[in-house]
Amino acid sequence: MPEQYSPAPPLCVDLDGTLIRTDLAGECLLLLGKRRPLELLRLMKKLLRGKTALKLALADRVSCDPGTLPYNNDVLKMLQAARAQGRRTVLVSASPRPWVETVAAHLGLFDDILATEDTVTNLAGSSKADRLVERYGEQGFDYAGNAQVDLHVWRHARKAIVVTPARGVLDRARSQAVIAAVFDDRPSAWWTWLRAMRIYQWAKNLLVFVPFLAAHAWANPTVVMQACVAFLVFGLTASSVYLLNDLVDLDADRRHPRKKQRPFAAGMLPVAQGVVATVLLLAGSVLLAALLPPMFSAALAIYYAVALAYTFYFKRVVLADVMILAGLYSVRLIAGAAAVTISLSFWLLAFSVFLFMSLALVKRYTELLVQRDAGFLGAQGRGYHIDDFPLLQTMGVVSGYASVLLLALYINSETGKALYSRIEFIWFLCILLLFWISRVWLLAHRGQMHDDPLVFFFKDRSSQAIAAIAVLAMVLAL
């Protein structure tokens, strides 16, 4: 703490949405729900006494790790500059004092703390303004905030610093206060939501088209329409799962070199909106699924139940996690067949199990590689250790080669011969798949592949060329 202060007025900074890009109450509610869901349900009774009572009771039970919170770098630099100039810095927040003290102690950038301490006064809006005026005088402080409620404070501040403002806040702040600075580096909201929903992952749902394509039923418009609806349903369902997974994995993602940039982990989207979006996406998928045969809805229910089990438990269980990931790919094939009432080939199902097991192992292998390079002894939020590298690689390569063997046996079976008039062209698929799997694992071993094989496929020109040749071979074989 500087021994002498600058004659400039104190710099007062809000916490939620300003110093950090998230809301501590929402994150702590999510954390309590993840660790002790029954305790969360009991705690909700506190809402009858108001939001402040709920936050104070929540602060007695759980706290977020201040070292992993998404801080606003512009605000941190402003605070560091103010400290260097000898200005007094104050962290002022409506959040409970224990949370505010934890953040302030972690940063070491504040000379004073003002926070909510009892259910009588929630230190927000006019209450916050009154406290600051009482302590520093009318226009005796500068204040950094972000929300509509901060307008009450800016009216009494010497200057206003507006940080990632909510809609309409900046215009109103300009009409009521002297704006010293505006910090807003948020990308487009639509683009951020599309990232959070992982729209690029919808490419996995193209698997629902495979059963009717393999059965050569593409000439039936009804079948094509049903498959398209199934694709959309699985996309919405998968996005719902991805949002939930990111919310549950906030702490682990923030410790990951790349995943810390995901929208919720980076604080670009509020966790409360994430919960609502999760429910809405799932509801939309259920309504659309009602347009398809009941067996499709059953397959979708299995997919969602298994995905939930994976999110909350099995992702931390060694080997069970990759087997479930592989199984979720196969469920898409089963659902695709159910959507168009086509019997799924045993060959296709067996082939998919081994191929997707190999790809799931690639994902874990490369994640472990990233964690090793970051100095960790194992994958964050997973059960793997650095020493597991050779075994994961062996299992993945063997599983991939087994899928090539199954493809070769299928081509030579009576089922395969009945579907293709020039079966010799299909043999090219075995060579192409063998080359692609070998290349994927070679690049993974060298650390040259993204931790998601799907992303790798769409960025890798060699993979795209292999896919084009495979399609050509299948067309020539008809």
Side-chain angles (χ1 to χ4, degrees):
M1 180 187 300
E3 294 185 358
Q4 295 190 6
Y5 297 101
S6 160
L11 174 60
C12 303
V13 176
D14 181 39
L15 178 60
D16 299 308
T18 303
L19 177 62
I20 59 175
R21 298 178 183 272
T22 186
D23 176 75
L24 281 181
E27 295 223 358
C28 288
L29 278 171
L30 191 67
L31 192 58
L32 184 62
K34 176 183 174 182
R35 294 176 179 174
R36 291 173 283 169
L38 294 180
E39 181 71 14
L40 176 61
L41 292 176
R42 288 192 290 266
L43 187 64
M44 296 311 289
K45 295 179 182 178
K46 295 288 184 179
L47 271 177
L48 298 176
R49 297 172 54 192
K51 183 180 177 181
T52 304
L54 174 64
K55 289 195 296 183
L56 290 171
L58 185 61
D60 290 335
R61 291 164 173 78
V62 67
S63 180
C64 295
D65 181 357
T68 63
L69 291 173
Y71 294 94
N72 189 307
N73 289 327
D74 290 328
V75 177
L76 288 179
K77 291 176 182 177
M78 178 180 66
L79 285 166
Q80 291 164 353
R83 296 275 291 182
Q85 295 165 7
R87 290 185 69 181
R88 189 175 187 84
T89 53
V90 183
L91 182 57
V92 51
S93 174
S95 289
R97 189 172 186 87
W99 293 346
V100 181
E101 287 180 338
T102 300
V103 172
H106 170 72
L107 293 176
L109 292 174
F110 297 98
D111 302 303
D112 199 2
I113 295 171
L114 297 176
T116 297
E117 301 185 37
D118 53 54
T119 57
V120 177
T121 303
N122 180 34
L123 203 66
S126 58
S127 296
K128 182 185 289 188
D130 293 343
R131 183 75 62 85
L132 289 172
V133 170
E134 177 185 345
R135 181 164 295 201
Y136 303 114
E138 186 73 25
Q139 295 192 338
F141 59 92
D142 294 342
Y143 178 73
N146 70 295
Q148 192 85 14
V149 70
D150 291 318
L151 291 167
H152 295 283
V153 185
W154 283 324
R155 292 190 191 105
H156 302 277
R158 186 192 69 150
K159 291 183 179 179
I161 299 98
V162 184
V163 183
T164 56
R167 185 188 298 270
V169 168
L170 181 58
D171 290 337
R172 294 192 63 185
R174 282 179 173 143
S175 67
Q176 299 178 26
V178 177
I179 305 297
V182 177
F183 300 135
D184 191 358
D185 58 355
R186 292 171 297 182
S188 164
W190 281 105
W191 172 244
T192 305
W193 275 109
L194 290 176
R195 279 187 59 209
M197 292 170 61
R198 301 190 210 175
I199 294 297
Y200 67 91
Q201 294 280 11
W202 283 32
K204 295 177 181 177
N205 303 320
L206 292 172
L207 290 171
V208 301
F209 292 104
V210 171
F212 91 86
L213 290 175
H216 297 182
W218 51 73
N220 188 327
T222 301
V223 168
V224 174
M225 181 60 66
Q226 288 175 319
C228 290
V229 173
F231 172 80
L232 180 58
V233 168
F234 258 88
L236 296 174
T237 304
S239 288
S240 174
V241 173
Y242 291 140
L243 293 184
L244 182 60
N245 180 76
D246 286 354
L247 292 172
V248 171
D249 272 1
L250 274 179
D251 286 342
D253 285 352
R254 285 171 179 165
R255 292 182 174 91
H256 192 279
R258 283 198 292 264
K259 293 180 181 179
K260 66 182 180 182
Q261 300 302 328
R262 286 178 174 175
F264 291 109
M268 295 298 167
L269 292 175
V271 294
Q273 292 184 17
V275 173
V276 173
T278 298
V279 175
L280 292 178
L281 288 170
L282 180 61
S285 68
V286 170
L287 291 175
L288 285 173
L291 301 175
L292 299 173
M295 287 302 295
F296 173 82
S297 295
L300 183 68
I302 292 172
Y303 170 85
Y304 192 74
V306 173
L308 286 183
Y310 172 82
T311 296
F312 286 101
Y313 178 71
F314 285 107
K315 68 163 53 180
R316 293 176 289 277
V317 180
V318 173
L319 295 184
D321 62 334
V322 290
M323 294 187 73
I324 288 177
L325 283 178
L328 290 175
Y329 281 106
S330 298
V331 169
R332 289 176 169 92
L333 292 175
I334 296 171
V340 296
T341 59
I342 290 176
S343 297
L344 188 64
S345 164
F346 160 79
W347 291 106
L348 179 59
L349 191 57
F351 165 78
S352 69
V353 167
F354 284 96
L355 176 62
F356 297 139
M357 181 70 175
S358 180
L359 296 182
L361 285 164
V362 167
K363 182 177 177 65
R364 285 294 173 266
Y365 180 90
T366 51
E367 282 180 349
L368 197 58
L369 189 64
V370 170
Q371 295 294 328
R372 184 196 67 180
D373 294 342
F376 295 101
L377 296 177
Q380 296 294 307
R382 308 288 188 245
Y384 296 95
H385 302 287
I386 297 300
D387 293 339
D388 295 332
F389 269 116
L391 186 58
L392 290 177
Q393 187 177 47
T394 300
M395 290 188 296
V397 172
V398 169
S399 184
Y401 285 178
S403 70
V404 179
L405 176 60
L406 280 166
L407 178 60
L409 293 174
Y410 164 74
I411 292 171
N412 200 47
S413 69
E414 294 302 319
T415 303
K417 292 177 180 178
L419 286 172
Y420 298 95
S421 58
R422 290 175 292 223
I423 197 68
E424 60 274 10
F425 285 103
I426 297 297
W427 277 105
F428 281 104
L429 299 184
C430 292
I431 300 172
L432 294 171
L433 183 61
L434 185 64
F435 174 79
W436 186 74
I437 290 174
S438 300
R439 185 170 182 272
V440 162
W441 275 102
L442 178 64
L443 293 178
H445 176 73
R446 293 177 176 177
Q448 298 176 0
M449 196 181 73
H450 194 281
D451 62 359
D452 191 321
L454 183 68
V455 175
F456 164 78
F457 176 85
F458 283 103
K459 289 184 177 180
D460 181 57
R461 292 184 178 180
S462 295
S463 297
Q464 296 164 9
I466 290 170
I469 296 172
V471 171
L472 178 61
M474 294 179 70
V475 171
L476 293 174
L478 293 176

